[in-house]
Amino acid sequence: MLVLEIIMMAFSVLFMVVGVRDYGIWTGQAPGGGLFPLIGGGLILICCIADIIMRIVKKQSLNGRMYEGEDEYIMLGFVPRRFRPLAVVIYGFFGILLLEYGGFVICSFFTCFIWLFAISKRTLLRSALISLATTAILYGIFVAWLNIPFPRGIF
């Protein structure tokens, strides 16, 4: 929907401005804290603009669904279509709470596992293996290799 894209574009510009203004994109000989918000916000802004342009070129409604046919695969099929973006935000909020109290390892495993098993309808074994591999890779890159301290929780 156009309203959602405009809101996302506004937030992406806000992230980019705050990141560059408050944290800087480069400090000394290393990237600053504002580099990631600049890149992420820029990518979101570009994707939203590209989606709007695609809808205009294809003469599709800016206020409705882009694809009018039935979805081949419906993620979050149990949530009404208009509330799906909100459901993802709520899921992310609970993931952040879990990160605060459970620590990085537990949070990354369970958020990945729940998304794969309950929402994307993958098998139990496949969800567990992918979640375990994702958690191990993230832990290896950020904690073991880059020495970035993540919330520890019970670990």
Side-chain angles (χ1 to χ4, degrees), residues 19-60:
V20 171
R21 185 190 66 209
D22 293 348
Y23 301 107
I25 56 173
W26 203 261
T27 57
Q29 295 185 0
L35 184 62
F36 182 73
L38 179 67
I39 293 170
L43 288 173
I44 291 170
L45 185 64
I46 290 168
C47 289
C48 288
I49 291 170
D51 184 56
I52 291 171
I53 291 170
M54 283 176 30
R55 287 177 184 241
I56 291 171
V57 168
K58 292 182 178 183
K59 296 179 173 59
Q60 293 177 334

Side-chain angles (χ1 to χ4, degrees), residues 11-25:
F11 273 114
S12 68
V13 170
L14 177 69
F15 288 149
M16 293 185 328
V17 169
V18 170
V20 171
R21 185 190 66 209
D22 293 348
Y23 301 107
I25 56 173

Side-chain angles (χ1 to χ4, degrees), residues 41-118:
L43 288 173
I44 291 170
L45 185 64
I46 290 168
C47 289
C48 288
I49 291 170
D51 184 56
I52 291 171
I53 291 170
M54 283 176 30
R55 287 177 184 241
I56 291 171
V57 168
K58 292 182 178 183
K59 296 179 173 59
Q60 293 177 334
S61 171
L62 291 175
N63 292 324
R65 294 190 320 223
M66 187 165 182
Y67 305 105
E68 295 300 327
E70 287 295 317
D71 292 335
E72 187 174 307
Y73 175 76
I74 299 176
M75 186 178 292
L76 292 171
F78 54 90
V79 177
R81 186 176 294 276
R82 65 177 179 249
F83 294 119
R84 289 180 188 167
L86 182 61
V88 173
V89 170
I90 292 170
Y91 179 80
F93 176 75
F94 283 114
I96 292 170
L97 286 178
L98 183 62
L99 179 65
E100 182 68 29
Y101 296 107
F104 169 74
V105 174
I106 292 173
C107 175
S108 62
F109 178 81
F110 280 113
T111 53
C112 186
F113 179 79
I114 291 168
W115 190 272
L116 289 169
F117 184 69

